Each structure stands twice: as C-alpha cells, then as structure tokens.
Amino acid sequence: MWLLSLLFVVVLAACGFGLVGYGFGAVADGMAGLREPPAVLRGIAALAGACAVVVYAWGLLHVVGALLEAEDGGTDSAPVRSCRTPGWEARDISGYHVSFVPLGFVCETGDGGTYDNGDVPGYVNPAAAVFALAGAGGAVTAGYASERRARSTQGPGDVQL
C-alpha cells in the first residue's frame, strides 16, 4: 500500500511540473501579447491545478510516512505507533485505514469508532479543494471566453460546422 502511494506521489509531482510549465508559459505569452485572454485564463487555471496537485502530494507524503511507521513490525508495533496519540489508551486501538478523499490516516478503536491521528497537516485538504475548484473554475471560464470570442467574430450568415 505504501509503495503504491509513493508511486502516486511521483505521478502527482510529474503532473504538477507539467501544469506549472504550461501555466507559466501561457501567462508569460499572454503578458507579452502573444496569446489571447482565454489562453491566459487557461494558464492561470493550470497554475491553480498545479498548486492543488502539489498540496495533495505533500499530504500524501505524510500519509506514506504514517503507513511506513504503522507497518513497521517489531516488539513495539502493537498498537500501531501512528495511532498513539494523547487521550487514547493502547487497548482502545484496534487498527487503521487510509482515507484518500479527504486525505488522512484514520485509526480504528475497539468499539467501532474512528479518529484521525493528525499526521496530515490541517491545511492540506482545504487548500487542495480550494485550488482544485479555482482551477476548474478558471478552465470553465476560459472555455466560455473562447466560445464567446468565436461567436463574436463569426458573421451572421456564416455556418459553423
């Protein structure tokens, strides 16, 4: 599980670098007057998407660290070290699972309850959601602006295929 999560972090990092490259290129070209405003909006949306990907990958690295600590066997492995937080007795903890949306390492108690151990920083999930929504909103706005621009340049007798 932790190896797959680590692979996912690498893929997210590659996507983040790609989005940053496209975004900065589009914004720079737009400021130089080489591109139209919808392309600049797409670049800004790509930068917001890159921020979302990077923040999510940062949180996923924290989850991978908690998984590595949880799956580390040995004499001090029960209960799981990642779940040993103040206020919880060792006999209360029965297991764990990983939550990917929202991102978190969730500890299970013997009575069927669960709690988040706090390994993932509190800003990761809200920041990833805000950046993702901003990126999606920017992409939709760019599409709308492109369509509006295309319709305004089309003559009344032109047929669009």
Side-chain angles (χ1 to χ4, degrees), residues 26-142:
V27 170
D29 286 348
M31 291 192 153
L34 301 175
R35 288 203 180 180
E36 297 175 351
V40 176
L41 284 173
R42 281 192 294 274
I44 292 171
L47 289 173
C51 290
V53 166
V54 168
V55 168
Y56 189 84
W58 176 248
L60 193 58
L61 277 175
H62 284 85
V63 170
V64 168
L67 274 171
L68 283 173
E69 191 173 0
E71 293 181 0
D72 183 27
T75 57
D76 191 29
S77 62
V80 176
R81 280 184 265 163
S82 295
C83 292
R84 295 180 195 170
T85 55
W88 291 97
E89 297 291 326
R91 58 181 159 68
D92 293 339
I93 301 167
S94 64
Y96 67 91
H97 69 273
V98 174
S99 170
F100 288 102
V101 177
L103 196 57
F105 187 86
V106 181
C107 300
E108 300 167 351
T109 59
D111 62 355
T114 60
Y115 69 95
D116 189 355
N117 70 344
D119 276 349
V120 178
Y123 62 86
V124 168
N125 288 318
V130 166
F131 282 126
L133 287 173
V140 168
T141 304

Side-chain angles (χ1 to χ4, degrees), residues 2-14 53 56-57 60 100:
W2 66 269
L3 194 58
L4 185 62
S5 297
L6 201 56
L7 178 65
F8 193 53
V9 168
V10 171
V11 170
L12 286 174
V53 166
Y56 189 84
L60 193 58
F100 288 102

